[in-house]
Amino acid sequence: MKLLRSTFLAFCMVSSASGFAPLISSKSSSINDIKRHQQSTITISTGNIAPISSTSLFVGIHEQPASSVSEDDIRKETMFIQVRKEVGTAKEYLNWLVEECGSSGSSDDDDSTTKEGEGITFADVIADKAAAGEVELFGGGGDAPSSPSSSSERKETTYVPALRSDLGDTVLLTGTVDATLLNILNNNFFGQDSVPNFEFSSIRALVDDVPAAKKKAISREARYGGLLDKLVIEPSSGDLPSGEELAGVSSWIVQLDGATADNTATTLSKIAELAEGSAELNNLIVMVSGTTSTEGWDAVEAASADGDAFKCTLLSVGELYDATEEKGGFYHIGPAVGEEENASMPPRLSRKKAYQLLAHALALDSTANRALAACEYSATVVEAIGAPYAEGEFAVRDDDGNEVVDEFRDIKMESRVIQAMRETGFTQVMELDVLVDKGLAGYKEYIANPPNKENAFAARRSARDEEDEKIMAILDAEIAASDARKKDEAEKQKTIETEGIAKEWAIKEYSLRMIGGDLDDSIGEEEFMASIWDEALAEGERTYERINSEEYIKEQERVEKSKVNLENKLFWDGMPPVLRKKREKMVEKVKRQYMDLLSEEDLERIILNDD
């Protein structure tokens, strides 16, 4: 089973494999051009284009004849490679964001999180995987679960979004008890991306029908994730909570049905009054479904006093629907616009995605004091996303041969960023932060003015680099102080030894001159030494330099070595006469006893051993 899983994974990792993008046989001249284009684009990308297979279906071992590949297949293959190149550019943009805005380390919910200024080494990653049973002999995978949502299956990323720090421990829900929203707020369910700053100890919900709400909210995930220990569902006193019901609430989530714009605007005004009158409320987020109108939101913004009183966020999602299957399609989120301006993009969003965006918007600081709108792309737009930017060889031309402006270019660029984030391993919170904070404008600015990568890398200094430099400066200072201390000690030792040599030379010189009659008998030794002390010091310095020179040391080594060699000889020049006479007698004695049995070498060895 593990072999089948590994084989399937290896096939899927070839990102260029597609039944709609066959490789063209090398027998055609036009196909050779396509192959050369493929090879050039692979070197440009950021590792997301794998080598192309040798068959039109990218499987098997048989070479396809040129006649089986149509011009449409060639066009699809070329377009696919160009799209992958565009996704690669988006990945470069994300890497630049990490270098400019990220920090060293993962989010706080990861076991591999490090303190500020610290980084994760390759050894740390391997150790974590080995502890989790994900690394076997020769680097093979273990029996760890291969859940798609497991953080171990994702590529590491160091992008860290700015999170709100004042969410508090109590959140109030009005108008909804959706299970997806509750599970994210609970922040304790296996397989779900955790939100680092969601530490709610109490999740309160005010509803009209308590039994129906409990039946809807309490699911298997709620029981297993510990949501029941935090969730409190209470009957509401009206459409909105009273001032007493808001007491102790630090974060407030409201869902409104915007089918009637007048009612929505009136309700938003009442929400503004309640939020302004609460001394403990720090964050307010309102999701309006059924419309993209922002009428009445200005009252909430005015009450928030630009975030000084509380942070407010509006999320317009249009029509909500229940998705029949889990899809990770592309969506749009950005500044809210009027319904007239948004007519080209009908507002529609799956209920699950809407509540995911609602919960994650509460966590991010980039969504504070913002009016946002989110919707899914229509089928026509999704089909257009699959094509490259309509420029250059992929441009669409009118009857006069002029290039037609690509009306879907902005949407394609946004989708490339989303696809790059998902392939790189960004969590949903990171993804939302990039789309809201940097947005399409940030990516366009990057494309228009690409940064100097070498200068940006050289200028980027992490806290860990600065700390390392401080440590190295301390070590250099300690080494310099130690060297200076050793140098002073060496100078003192040299002075002591030089003065000792000078004293010995002066005493010897005094004795020689007294014996030679060069000095008067009335001159004492100390008086003589004092009179020639400068000369004695000069002589001591010359002698000190000579006995510490390399030549003198080598000479002493040769003398010592010659002494050893002399000791290993039977006779040598200058040997003591008594020893010579003793050995001569021994030689005569041994010769008489072993004359016919021993050689000269054996005889010499026996005599030396007897000594």
Side-chain angles (χ1 to χ4, degrees), residues 97-98 101-103 105 157-161 426 430 433-434 437-438:
L97 284 182
V98 169
C101 310
S103 63
T157 176
T158 56
Y159 181 82
V160 180
F426 276 51
M430 298 176 186
D433 183 68
V434 172
D437 187 21
K438 313 302 182 297

Side-chain angles (χ1 to χ4, degrees), residues 240-536:
L240 296 175
S242 61
E244 292 76 11
E245 290 172 327
L246 274 176
V249 174
S250 53
S251 298
W252 184 17
I253 299 177
V254 184
Q255 179 181 348
L256 300 178
D257 185 2
T260 306
D262 294 338
N263 292 341
T264 303
T266 302
T267 305
L268 287 175
S269 299
K270 293 179 180 179
I271 291 174
E273 294 178 3
L274 288 169
E276 187 177 15
S278 175
E280 300 171 286
L281 185 65
N282 298 324
N283 298 276
L284 168 65
I285 182 167
V286 180
M287 184 176 76
V288 180
S289 61
T291 183
T292 57
S293 174
T294 60
E295 185 178 357
W297 181 247
D298 52 352
V300 179
E301 290 181 328
S304 71
D306 293 332
D308 294 336
F310 58 88
K311 298 175 183 177
C312 60
T313 304
L314 174 67
L315 179 63
S316 299
V317 294
E319 178 188 354
L320 295 178
Y321 72 94
D322 294 318
T324 57
E325 60 181 8
E326 183 71 19
K327 295 186 296 182
F330 298 124
Y331 64 95
H332 168 77
I333 184 169
V337 295
E339 292 183 332
E340 308 83 22
E341 302 178 56
N342 203 48
S344 60
M345 189 180 297
R348 189 170 183 265
L349 192 65
S350 70
R351 194 176 303 275
K352 183 173 184 178
K353 173 56 70 174
Y355 285 112
Q356 287 175 347
L357 294 176
L358 178 64
H360 295 150
L362 177 62
L364 293 171
D365 193 54
S366 59
T367 59
N369 307 313
R370 300 281 298 274
L372 305 172
C375 61
E376 292 180 352
Y377 291 124
S378 63
T380 303
V381 175
V382 171
E383 183 178 358
I385 288 175
Y389 304 145
E391 59 187 19
E393 63 175 306
F394 304 100
V396 178
R397 303 183 180 277
D398 55 18
D399 296 337
D400 298 330
N402 300 321
E403 290 189 8
V404 179
V405 178
D406 187 359
E407 60 177 323
F408 298 109
R409 180 178 175 82
D410 288 353
I411 301 177
K412 291 177 182 177
M413 295 182 72
E414 188 177 34
S415 69
R416 302 297 187 260
V417 175
I418 293 176
Q419 184 173 353
M421 286 190 289
R422 293 176 179 176
E423 291 182 3
T424 306
F426 276 51
T427 64
Q428 295 182 21
V429 177
M430 298 176 186
E431 181 178 305
L432 181 59
D433 183 68
V434 172
L435 295 177
V436 173
D437 187 21
K438 313 302 182 297
L440 181 61
Y443 185 44
K444 284 185 174 181
E445 177 64 22
Y446 173 85
I447 296 296
N449 302 293
N452 188 327
K453 295 181 180 180
E454 295 182 359
N455 293 342
F457 180 80
R460 179 172 173 255
R461 298 170 57 85
S462 66
R464 183 172 185 175
D465 295 332
E466 296 177 358
E467 188 67 23
D468 288 345
E469 289 187 1
K470 292 180 181 178
I471 295 175
M472 291 303 299
I474 295 174
L475 292 177
D476 292 340
E478 291 180 353
I479 292 173
S482 177
D483 292 342
R485 185 170 58 254
K486 291 180 180 179
K487 184 177 180 180
D488 291 341
E489 293 176 354
E491 290 294 333
K492 292 179 180 178
Q493 185 65 26
K494 178 181 178 180
T495 301
I496 294 173
E497 293 183 8
T498 301
E499 290 178 351
I501 296 173
K503 186 176 180 179
E504 292 179 359
W505 180 86
I507 294 173
K508 181 179 180 181
E509 191 69 17
Y510 174 77
S511 301
L512 292 175
R513 293 187 184 185
M514 287 296 292
I515 294 172
D518 298 332
L519 294 177
D520 190 84
D521 294 339
S522 61
I523 299 176
E525 184 178 292
E526 294 183 359
E527 183 181 357
F528 176 77
M529 290 177 58
S531 64
I532 64 167
W533 185 245
D534 292 339
E535 183 182 355

